Amino acid sequence: MKKYIVFAIVFFSLMMESQTFDIVPLGIYGGEEEDNLSSYLISKHNANQFLALDAGTINAGIKKSIEKGTFSVSRDVVLKDYIKAYFISHGHLDHISGLIINSPADSKKNIYAITFVQDIIKKHYFINDTWANFTDEGVAPIGKYTLKNLDTQSYTEIPETGLKIKAFELSHTKDYKSSAVLVNHNNQYVLYLGDTGADRIEESKDLEILWKSIAELIKKNSLKAILIEVSFPNNQPEKFLFGHLTPNLLNEEFSKLAKLASKEKMKNFKVIVTHRKPTGNNPEIIKKELLQNNSLELNYIFPVQGEKLSF
Ligand SMILES: [Zn+2]
Ligand SMILES: [Zn+2]
């Protein structure tokens, strides 16, 4: 009996140690459902010190997370105290509208983005014509948010989170940039991609550069998961993708990654599918198409708003 108890303690402590990150999806879709748009809170495990990866939906996602028992504090505490900073992948509203609408209720924090995205935020959103200027620069600044430039060469530390992030540029239709971040805690990693097209369609090398940078981490088992978009089912014509992926295009890209990281290391690798466009039955069709044609044997995870993922 004693032996089993010792075994159980060792087993559970190993289980606990193997978890590095918590992710709370505040919104999972890529349009239409204004109360459930792209936003994923990430923290080191059990710390509630989150960086928001995009901010399409904030308040409705916090509300849902409390209903689901993910958080046992008030909405105000999650917004003001638990969320320490934002990363905005690109300038489209389904990735930033929650931040804008909730800015009057928010606390002082940093917004991290590549220069291209910062310029959109400064030129189009916090300009008083569309919304009061909650940043600390430009015309009549309220001073709540500080825009911080993200480097593509080195890591930027996010205060109060224990996380460091490094950015990668993505192509989201020609001449329109989106971005990804590699999140690092104690040399364990999660990769989050904003909206992106496939290299072949975009005539880009952005994903190739990204895959080359992370392949080594997959080989070393230190990349825990990738969050990546699959916006449309396979029947979406290539000329109407608007800088997005389908299940077939995701396979096309992941087979390139598998060549670099080895098929064996990709087996059971966690892929969190983001940004399905919710028109009609598309989310279910996308799910079916990914699961039916999964020759790399990836572990596809379809996030649910408000339900915490730990790994
Ligand atoms: Zn989007
Ligand atoms: Zn977009």
Side-chain angles (χ1 to χ4, degrees):
M1 188 61 192
K2 213 168 154 188
K3 203 163 72 180
Y4 290 111
I5 293 167
V6 171
F7 174 77
I9 290 167
V10 170
F11 179 75
F12 283 114
S13 58
L14 281 174
M15 286 278 291
M16 296 297 283
E17 267 172 40
S18 71
Q19 310 219 313
T20 312
F21 297 102
D22 293 334
I23 288 182
V24 180
L26 293 186
I28 63 153
Y29 289 124
E32 295 174 44
E33 303 213 4
E34 67 215 24
D35 61 349
N36 198 354
L37 299 172
S38 291
S39 180
Y40 298 84
L41 301 184
I42 185 164
S43 170
K44 60 186 185 193
H45 185 51
N46 277 339
N48 287 331
Q49 296 165 329
F50 293 99
L51 167 68
L53 302 169
D54 280 327
T57 292
I58 296 291
N59 186 47
I62 293 172
K63 203 168 140 186
K64 184 65 86 178
S65 309
I66 293 168
E67 275 168 29
K68 298 233 172 189
T70 295
F71 297 125
S72 51
V73 293
S74 70
R75 268 190 264 176
D76 211 37
V77 169
V78 178
L79 176 67
K80 285 184 176 164
D81 297 343
Y82 284 11
I83 301 176
K84 305 293 187 190
Y86 299 95
F87 158 70
I88 301 299
S89 67
H90 65 295
H92 286 156
L93 280 167
D94 55 321
H95 299 258
I96 192 172
S97 59
L99 187 164
I100 296 168
I101 293 294
N102 285 287
S103 52
D106 207 353
S107 56
K108 199 171 160 57
K109 54 193 72 160
N110 294 338
I111 300 172
Y112 296 86
I114 59 170
T115 313
F116 185 90
V117 177
Q118 274 194 51
D119 287 345
I120 294 170
I121 298 171
K122 285 190 248 184
K123 274 186 202 152
H124 301 287
Y125 297 130
F126 292 115
I127 55 166
N128 299 307
D129 282 343
T130 53
W131 200 254
N133 180 8
F134 279 86
T135 74
D136 58 1
E137 54 189 299
V139 178
I142 291 169
K144 192 175 274 189
Y145 298 127
T146 301
L147 285 157
K148 295 273 190 184
N149 203 28
L150 268 188
D151 203 336
T152 53
Q153 302 302 318
S154 59
Y155 282 96
T156 303
E157 284 199 36
I158 314 296
E160 298 178 80
T161 63
L163 306 175
K164 293 188 282 187
I165 58 176
K166 186 160 85 171
F168 294 84
E169 289 188 353
L170 299 173
S171 178
H172 184 30
T173 71
K174 205 165 165 54
D175 300 326
Y176 190 81
K177 282 183 194 174
S178 171
S179 59
V181 272
L182 191 55
V183 182
N184 175 340
H185 173 63
N186 284 347
N187 297 323
Q188 297 289 300
Y189 301 84
V190 166
L191 177 69
Y192 174 81
L193 290 90
D195 297 358
T196 181
D199 278 355
R200 177 173 59 80
I201 314 267
E202 300 286 314
E203 296 174 1
S204 159
K205 281 185 183 291
D206 286 340
L207 287 177
E208 185 185 322
I209 293 165
L210 178 57
W211 301 151
K212 281 181 177 159
S213 310
I214 62 155
E216 203 56 37
L217 301 178
I218 296 178
K219 282 192 204 163
K220 287 191 296 191
N221 299 320
S222 49
L223 186 67
K224 295 267 189 165
I226 295 178
L227 291 92
I228 188 166
E229 72 131 282
V230 185
S231 294
F232 296 112
N234 286 328
N235 67 3
Q236 187 80 4
E238 288 192 351
K239 61 179 177 194
F240 294 125
L241 285 169
F242 312 108
H244 291 295
L245 296 172
T246 61
N248 282 345
L249 289 170
L250 186 75
N251 281 330
E252 186 175 315
E253 286 298 337
F254 273 167
S255 58
K256 292 185 217 166
L257 177 57
K259 272 193 192 131
L260 299 165
S262 89
K263 267 193 169 172
E264 194 197 334
K265 288 288 181 186
M266 292 293 284
K267 198 174 169 182
N268 283 321
F269 185 80
K270 290 190 177 74
V271 177
I272 299 167
V273 178
T274 67
H275 206 269
R276 286 174 290 168
K277 298 258 184 197
T279 313
N281 200 28
N282 282 355
E284 280 308 307
I285 297 169
I286 292 167
K287 186 176 181 177
K288 212 169 102 185
E289 287 176 346
L290 285 170
L291 296 174
Q292 275 175 351
N293 187 13
N294 185 12
S295 59
L296 289 170
E297 296 176 71
L298 299 162
N299 177 8
Y300 282 118
I301 295 165
F302 298 89
V304 178
Q305 186 182 37
E307 293 184 9
K308 182 161 78 177
L309 300 161
S310 297
F311 42 74

